[in-house]
Amino acid sequence: NSFTGNGQAMFYKNGSYYARAGISDQTSGTAQPTGAVVMYLNGSTDYAEIYFYTSASGVSISGGSNFANKFTGCLLRGA
């Protein structure tokens, strides 16, 4: 969605802040925060969460006919 303000994707590991990525000081247009984080997870008890924050008011963060929210994860390991 279009907004004026600050927006960022926030990554959490086991409920604690881990990293952030995104845009800042969006003056017009469609906000499209993107980012990549490599996070070690132990495979049994660790978990990851992602949230989107914006300082703008009246903003809808959702999918729709023209918008999509995507989150992808993968396993990285040595050869």
Side-chain angles (χ1 to χ4, degrees), residues 6-54:
N6 178 277
Q8 55 192 320
M10 306 290 287
F11 295 85
Y12 286 75
K13 177 181 177 181
N14 299 329
S16 297
Y17 170 78
Y18 189 82
R20 69 177 162 203
I23 57 171
S24 61
D25 299 325
Q26 180 78 4
T27 57
S28 66
T30 301
Q32 298 178 341
T34 60
V37 173
V38 175
M39 180 186 303
Y40 173 79
L41 302 172
N42 65 17
S44 60
T45 60
D46 288 341
Y47 63 95
E49 300 169 279
I50 184 170
Y51 298 93
F52 180 74
Y53 164 80
T54 179

Side-chain angles (χ1 to χ4, degrees), residues 52-78:
F52 180 74
Y53 164 80
T54 179
S55 62
S57 62
V59 175
S60 172
I61 302 171
S62 62
S65 61
N66 295 320
F67 302 99
N69 299 310
K70 299 177 184 175
F71 179 79
T72 302
C74 64
L75 171 64
L76 302 176
R77 63 180 170 187

